[in-house]
Amino acid sequence: MNHFELRDGELYCEDVPLAVIAQAVGTPVYVYSTATFERHYTVLREALEAEGVRDPLIAFAVKANSNLAVLRTLAKLGAGADTVSEGEIRRALAAGVPPERIVFSGVGKTRAEIAFALEAGVCEINVESEPEMLAIAQVAQSLGKRATIAFRVNPDVAAGGHAKIATGKSENKFGVSFAEAERLYAQASNNAWLKPVGVACHIGSQITDLAPMAEAFEKMAGLVRRLKGEGLHVERLDLGGGLGVPYFNQPEPPSPADYAKVVAQATRGLDVTLAFEPGRVIAANAGVLLAQVVHVHERPEGRRFLVLDAAMNDLLRPAMYDAYHDIRAVRPREGEAKPYDVVGPVCETGDTFTRDRALPAFESGDLVAFMSAGAYGASMASEYNSRPLVPEVMVKGGDYAIVRPRPTYDEMLARETPAPWL
Ligand code: LLP
């Protein structure tokens, strides 16, 4: 459930008409609903608690939406943060996430990033390979700080909505094998600068079938039992993120309640604290990308292009993953639906949001909302074609705030410095 709905013929975010935001801030612009973020986080936590999962660490995957207002909204509810760079750790800290609720993942952490994480006191660094474990030990020793680590295991399970977002197969770059995990865990336990506390996995994103999750979680639980059986200390099991969301006419994802049942079943009796790294399930349906129709271009041979002022640099998912986003009129017109190719102004054929989609009639100047754009939307945006970075607005009830303003052209150019010889 989300808080974007039609009222008296126009689309609102909570109690604010989207047209009011478009008028005040201009388009394209991302608009987020505080109530939806809060609801998604709370539904997931309550579903886990209802299955007897005690005091889970729900570390929001910052990459899904890294805006500070979003992170702060979730931090106020007790969320942690799953981070993959120093920049994301800094964001989480700036948003008020306590370091003991910050997880640091990622296959290529630099020594500088590892040092930053250790100084900040994050709760766990997820080790993705043997060389990384050794690098962490060295950095920890140089700082005189023992590193709390977990091993990210690649459970060799296929899952995820698209090949580019599947991470859990052994041919993917993420994590160590079960055999390596057992060997490295024992090794780390004997290293004075490492404190292994658990194991982690994340098998992919936009997963709409619980079977691969159940398989991965069972395998992870087996690993925890084996490690404990060897007398090693294991107190945490991080099950990653990956739960899919309903992108309109896409396969219906499992409910948080069903997900929680699978979690509980796989981890019963393990006596570890569970951690989760959800991104999309919390953020996707809490945001829309608002755009305006620049032209309706009808080719004599029949194709009808809806040319928007939003482009692939603002919302990359359709170009990169053939992702489906529901496209709605902010003030729907009467009349029959017609097939449109919805495109942006960027000079690439890939700057196409959808082809041949039946949509209600549009005219130049109309406002359009890309639904379910709160995850991996603004956080993946760029300035390609020298288009100023898309702004973000947070709504709460009848109020809204610009939480990332659109840079001016002067600001955009001022970031660059001329080479002395030019
Ligand atoms: N934990 C780790 C280690 C991850 O790599 C990811 C996502 C997550 C958690 C959060 O997964 P989620 O709950 O959001 O599925 N840009 C793509 C998605 C890439 C996901 C990358 N990793 C998209 O727009 O679909």
Side-chain angles (χ1 to χ4, degrees):
M1 198 206 123
N2 61 61
H3 293 76
F4 294 90
E5 55 181 22
L6 272 181
R7 283 191 207 165
D8 304 325
E10 72 173 304
L11 201 54
Y12 274 65
C13 174
E14 301 191 21
D15 297 326
V16 181
L18 287 177
V20 167
I21 294 173
Q23 176 72 32
V25 187
T27 50
V29 57
Y30 277 92
V31 182
Y32 306 132
S33 153
T34 299
T36 311
F37 273 109
E38 290 175 344
R39 183 185 145 80
H40 290 170
Y41 174 82
T42 308
V43 164
L44 181 60
R45 195 191 55 209
E46 287 177 356
L48 290 165
E49 284 170 357
E51 291 300 325
V53 176
R54 273 199 312 277
D55 205 16
L57 169 60
I58 301 184
F60 175 64
V62 172
K63 64 174 85 66
N65 190 317
S66 30
N67 189 285
L68 291 175
V70 168
L71 302 181
R72 203 162 276 149
T73 300
L74 295 170
K76 279 169 74 175
L77 300 176
D82 167 52
T83 61
V84 291
S85 66
E86 179 173 335
E88 287 193 351
I89 299 174
R90 285 180 184 270
R91 281 184 176 277
L93 292 170
V97 180
E100 61 274 13
R101 300 184 82 75
I102 298 178
V103 174
F104 185 27
S105 316
V107 292
K109 306 170 194 81
T110 64
R111 282 165 189 261
E113 287 181 309
I114 292 165
F116 182 82
L118 290 174
E119 296 282 14
V122 302
C123 79
E124 134 192 341
I125 301 183
N126 284 350
V127 177
E128 302 243 7
S129 63
E130 182 165 9
E132 185 172 78
M133 181 186 89
L134 300 175
I136 294 172
Q138 281 171 4
V139 176
Q141 182 168 17
S142 70
L143 295 176
K145 278 188 189 315
R146 198 160 170 226
T148 305
I149 57 169
F151 286 92
R152 171 153 178 203
V153 182
N154 187 323
D156 200 18
V157 168
H162 187 278
K164 284 187 184 151
I165 56 174
T167 49
K169 285 293 286 172
S170 55
E171 72 247 31
N172 300 129
K173 65 182 175 179
F174 304 96
V176 298
S177 69
F178 283 103
E180 275 180 295
E182 283 183 61
R183 177 174 64 81
L184 295 177
Y185 208 104
Q187 205 178 315
S189 301
N190 289 321
N191 185 313
W193 299 105
L194 298 176
K195 182 183 176 209
V197 293
V199 286
C201 72
H202 169 79
I203 57 172
S205 201
Q206 186 53 18
I207 300 172
T208 51
D209 175 8
L210 284 175
M213 287 203 165
E215 186 186 340
F217 298 170
E218 296 285 354
K219 286 182 167 185
M220 293 301 292
L223 173 64
V224 170
R225 286 191 197 99
R226 287 199 299 284
L227 292 171
K228 285 193 171 194
E230 289 160 29
L232 297 164
H233 172 76
V234 185
E235 61 185 58
R236 203 174 296 152
L237 172 58
D238 177 344
L239 295 175
L243 193 56
V245 301
Y247 283 109
F248 198 57
N249 69 356
Q250 302 288 291
E252 192 63 24
S255 66
D258 289 343
Y259 170 78
K261 282 196 179 74
V262 165
V263 167
Q265 179 149 10
T267 59
R268 194 148 290 141
L270 275 189
D271 192 24
V272 287
T273 306
L274 296 183
F276 301 88
E277 304 170 354
R280 193 187 310 268
V281 74
I282 290 181
N285 285 311
V288 302
L289 172 64
L290 199 54
Q292 191 169 34
V293 178
V294 181
H295 305 293
V296 181
H297 172 191
E298 300 205 24
R299 284 252 177 80
E301 68 273 23
R303 287 210 94 78
R304 188 179 296 104
F305 294 97
L306 195 64
V307 185
L308 303 180
D309 63 1
M312 64 191 285
N313 69 299
D314 305 306
L315 177 62
L316 187 57
R317 304 193 65 257
M320 190 148 170
Y321 316 109
D322 299 315
Y324 185 102
H325 285 267
D326 188 18
I327 298 174
R328 294 172 63 178
V330 169
R331 288 183 176 139
R333 295 177 180 276
E334 300 283 313
E336 240 178 81
K338 298 179 200 164
Y340 285 94
D341 287 5
V342 182
V343 301
V346 158
C347 304
E348 291 209 31
T349 309
D351 188 21
T352 298
F353 293 113
T354 186
R355 283 168 67 79
D356 270 331
R357 173 100 51 102
L359 294 171
F362 279 107
E363 290 180 16
S364 164
D366 285 358
L367 293 171
V368 170
F370 287 87
M371 309 307 288
S372 317
Y376 307 107
S379 62
M380 291 179 78
S382 75
E383 290 182 342
Y384 185 41
N385 277 211
S386 289
R387 295 164 47 81
L389 199 59
V390 58
E392 297 168 277
V393 165
M394 185 67 130
V395 171
K396 183 173 169 60
D399 292 334
Y400 72 89
I402 301 171
V403 292
R404 181 171 80 186
R406 190 189 316 277
T408 64
Y409 287 105
D410 285 343
E411 284 165 348
M412 200 167 94
L413 299 187
R415 288 204 315 262
E416 291 171 36
T417 45
W421 57 87
L422 290 175

